[in-house]
DNA sequence: TATTGTTATACTCTATAACTATA
DNA sequence: TATAGTTATAGAGTATAACAATA
């Protein structure tokens, strides 16, 4: 049995490609965000807090599809940096409403611009049209995930 | 400052898209490989062992861009399942040559077919042409990583 | 001196269970 | 009873340091 004739080379498998693509983007993003003292995950948290009304901790976690226990630590770090505030929800005192501070909003805007620059560097091997195609194709497969989850 | 007008929504960022795309593929692959008693990482190891001459542990690790200390544990598990053999290299006795057993080759071929089925399910939201485009675009950005690393 | 395989260790990310305070 | 936030804990996955055997 000649396996090498029957199996797709590792480097052509989607699992390998997605893993290494993400690693490369992570290297670029980490460097771009270092001056702001935050990570890519931190930036994602800041971004969801700015979308629509300030959410509760649980809502923020759901928008990112991460666990609420994970969110606690992320918010702890960002609150200690003065980028957000937790406020008790007067309508339901079990909840914390999480809102960006002025410093947090400024950091979000500036760090997002840096992250976009990192994305452009990541996409540099592609034409502008192909770069948008890649994003659209990934959105299509990820959107399918969200639908199947309900 | 209205951040929501200036920053790209989280779900449109490449970091988010790559993370969730990979997670969805991982769920599908894990299910497809479960009957074979191996993980996606195990399958990747089996596949590199079948490409070209059987490599040393270090060469196998380098082909996958993983650490040689990580490779030890992966090989331990696969060897215990009888899927590969470590043989001392007579030309350099520091090295172990790692080769698939007959059972390992059979598992590689069958599990690869199952993994391909999982990939097709992952790509189901896309047309066949878009599916190949996605793979090609990912290959392009990952290839750029390999070049820059030398 | 340098390299290969190995072990021990630690660090990150994540998930689960259990606690508290509120509803 | 159920939910939101929290804490403790544990499990992956990965990386670093140090060691033995060999080059």
């Amino acid at each position: 049995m000649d396996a090498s004739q029957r199996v797709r080379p590792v480097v052509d498998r989607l699992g390998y490609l997605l893993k290494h693509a993400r690693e490369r983007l992570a290297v670029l993003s980490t460097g771009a965000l270092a001056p702001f003292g935050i990570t890519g995950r931190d930036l994602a948290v800041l971004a969801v807090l700015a979308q629509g009304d300030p959410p509760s901790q649980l809502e923020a976690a759901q928008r990112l599809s991460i666990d609420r226990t994970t969110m606690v630590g992320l918010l702890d770090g960002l609150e200690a940096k003065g980028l957000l505030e937790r406020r008790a929800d007067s309508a339901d005192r079990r909840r914390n409403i999480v809102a960006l501070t002025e410093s947090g909003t400024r950091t979000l805007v500036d760090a997002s611009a840096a992250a976009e620059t990192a994305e452009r560097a990541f996409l540099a091997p592609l034409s502008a049209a192909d770069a948008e195609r890649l994003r659209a194709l990934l959105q299509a497969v990820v959107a399918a995930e969200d639908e199947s989850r309900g």
Side-chain angles (χ1 to χ4, degrees), chain A:
Chain A
M1 181 149 41
D2 185 353
S4 64
Q5 301 303 310
R6 301 201 199 182
V7 303
R8 191 191 291 274
V10 172
V11 297
D12 297 336
R13 296 177 191 219
L14 286 177
Y16 178 95
L17 293 169
L18 290 171
K19 177 186 179 190
H20 286 85
R22 195 170 168 226
E23 281 176 354
R24 177 162 176 256
L25 178 60
V27 168
L28 294 168
S29 297
T30 299
L33 294 179
F36 302 95
I38 63 173
T39 67
R41 301 170 72 230
D42 290 333
L43 179 58
V45 172
L46 297 181
V48 298
L49 299 183
Q51 286 172 208
D53 291 329
S56 70
Q57 294 189 193
L58 184 59
E59 287 164 349
Q62 288 169 340
R63 289 184 192 174
L64 287 173
S65 299
I66 65 177
D67 196 85
R68 72 195 161 119
T69 65
T70 303
M71 181 60 70
V72 172
L74 290 169
L75 296 179
D76 285 348
L78 293 168
E79 188 171 39
K81 295 191 180 87
L83 302 180
L84 58 82
E85 286 175 348
R86 287 166 157 121
R87 304 174 190 150
D89 183 346
S90 55
D92 181 345
R93 297 189 39 236
R94 291 173 303 183
R95 293 171 168 251
N96 288 338
I97 299 300
V98 187
L100 293 179
T101 61
E102 193 177 329
S103 167
T105 302
R106 216 179 317 119
T107 297
L108 168 60
V109 172
D110 295 345
S112 287
E116 294 270 343
T117 300
E119 281 198 7
R120 280 193 292 276
F122 172 81
L123 295 168
L126 307 181
S127 69
D130 276 346
E132 276 319 297
R133 240 189 298 278
L134 175 59
R135 194 188 305 271
L137 292 170
L138 288 171
Q139 283 171 332
V141 293
V142 170
E145 175 189 24
D146 295 339
E147 283 162 25
S148 68
R149 208 172 41 208

